[in-house]
């Protein structure tokens, strides 16, 4: 696939910002339902080389902010066409660049979503949070339902990856943590590839671009 690199030279007071976008087209419906777990748990579970505590320490020490998420990008010319993406955004002071890149590399290539007992606990936390927040989310769910229909395919993707369909999946299914761990590992291998990475944006000061490249 074509990978576009966008560079934004700016005065950033010694801070660099990186955004990576991975194309999710072709991901199965079953795996789409697991994307919310994927983006939430990737920094809360072990990788091949580091425990989640070590990953958390690296993030707190060397990165000023990091987040994984799922979003869609509409075509400017054809709004009904969209590209579902998994995004990674982070910022760091330039002197921590090597450690920040090490952390990214570890998560993108070595995330294991283990140990299973911790994954089970994390799923229960999500479920309990949903149960306790159902009444407060009712207005937003009603609004979401009312606005659906303008872009059916995009609405369906949003619903499966983090909307009411995902909630039904979490609340009504007896999720096997061991199977989920394997599913998330396979999903990581499927998503984080050079062919799926289609957009990278880097915002940094002029003098730091040569290092970033």
């Amino acid at each position: 696939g074509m990978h576009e690199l966008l560079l934004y030279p700016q005065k950033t007071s010694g801070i660099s910002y990186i955004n990576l976008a991975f194309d999710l087209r072709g991901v199965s419906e079953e795996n789409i339902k697991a994307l919310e777990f994927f983006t939430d748990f990737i920094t809360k579970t072990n990788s091949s080389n580091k425990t989640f505590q070590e990953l958390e320490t690296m993030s707190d020490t060397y990165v000023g902010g990091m987040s994984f998420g799922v979003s869609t990008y509409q075509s400017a010319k054809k709004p009904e066409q969209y590209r579902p993406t998994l995004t990674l955004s982070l910022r760091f002071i330039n002197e921590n660049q090597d450690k920040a890149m090490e952390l990214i590399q570890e998560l993108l290539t070595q995330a294991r979503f283990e140990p299973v007992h911790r994954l089970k606990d994390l799923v229960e936390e999500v479920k309990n949070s949903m149960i306790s927040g159902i009444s407060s989310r009712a207005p937003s769910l009603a609004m979401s339902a009312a606005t659906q229909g303008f872009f059916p395919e995009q609405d369906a993707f949003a619903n499966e990856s983090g909307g009411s369909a995902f909630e039904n999946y979490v609340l009504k299914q007896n999720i096997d943590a061991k199977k989920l761990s394997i599913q998330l590992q396979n999903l990581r291998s499927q998503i984080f590839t050079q062919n799926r990475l289609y957009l990278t944006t880097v915002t940094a000061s002029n003098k730091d671009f040569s290092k970033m490249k």
Side-chain angles (χ1 to χ4, degrees):
M2 184 176 64
H3 174 209
E4 186 173 5
L5 173 63
L6 303 179
L7 304 176
Y8 297 101
Q10 292 186 18
K11 294 181 179 180
T12 58
S13 302
I15 300 174
S16 294
Y17 302 82
I18 294 180
N19 295 280
L20 305 178
F22 295 87
D23 195 336
L24 292 175
R25 289 178 297 182
V27 174
S28 69
E29 181 177 335
E30 180 182 2
N31 281 334
I32 287 174
K33 288 181 179 178
L35 286 173
E36 185 79 9
F37 285 149
F38 186 94
T39 57
D40 188 14
F41 298 164
I42 190 169
T43 58
K44 298 178 180 178
T45 50
N46 297 350
S47 66
S48 296
N49 303 309
K50 298 183 183 298
T51 65
F52 71 89
Q53 294 98 330
E54 290 172 325
L55 293 171
E56 186 178 70
T57 298
M58 283 190 72
S59 179
D60 291 343
T61 304
Y62 301 113
V63 177
M66 178 173 64
S67 63
F68 288 84
V70 176
S71 59
T72 57
Y73 291 91
Q74 288 179 303
S75 168
K77 296 182 179 179
K78 297 182 178 180
E80 70 279 3
Q81 294 183 1
Y82 77 101
R83 186 195 300 258
T85 63
L86 189 147
T87 59
L88 164 59
S89 302
L90 76 158
R91 65 180 184 271
F92 50 87
I93 60 175
N94 296 326
E95 64 188 53
N96 290 337
Q97 179 181 322
D98 290 344
K99 287 294 185 180
M101 294 301 103
E102 179 185 338
L103 177 60
I104 292 177
Q105 185 77 6
E106 185 70 20
L107 292 173
L108 299 191
T109 65
Q110 302 296 328
R112 298 287 298 174
F113 299 94
E114 295 174 342
V116 171
H117 67 82
R118 175 163 175 78
L119 196 61
K120 182 178 180 179
D121 290 342
L122 290 171
V123 170
E124 284 301 310
E125 286 180 14
V126 171
K127 182 179 293 188
N128 291 334
S129 177
M130 284 182 175
I131 292 172
S132 64
I134 283 177
S135 59
S136 64
R137 289 196 309 280
S140 62
L141 289 175
M143 179 65 70
S144 176
T147 56
Q148 283 189 357
F150 294 104
F151 305 108
E153 292 184 4
Q154 187 172 344
D155 292 339
F157 175 83
N159 193 34
E160 291 289 342
S161 63
S164 58
F166 173 72
E167 287 198 6
N168 289 334
Y169 163 65
V170 174
L171 296 176
K172 295 182 180 181
Q173 298 292 326
N174 184 18
I175 298 173
D176 185 309
K178 186 173 183 179
K179 290 182 178 178
L180 179 62
S181 175
I182 295 171
Q183 180 184 12
L184 296 179
Q185 288 179 50
N186 291 336
L187 192 54
R188 188 261 300 163
S189 298
Q190 180 184 2
I191 293 174
F192 294 143
T193 66
Q194 187 64 37
N195 287 337
R196 286 188 178 273
L197 177 61
Y198 77 94
L199 178 63
T200 302
T201 64
V202 180
T203 304
S205 58
N206 278 307
K207 66 180 181 179
D208 296 304
F209 273 121
S210 59
K211 298 179 184 177
M212 204 70 66
K213 293 176 183 178

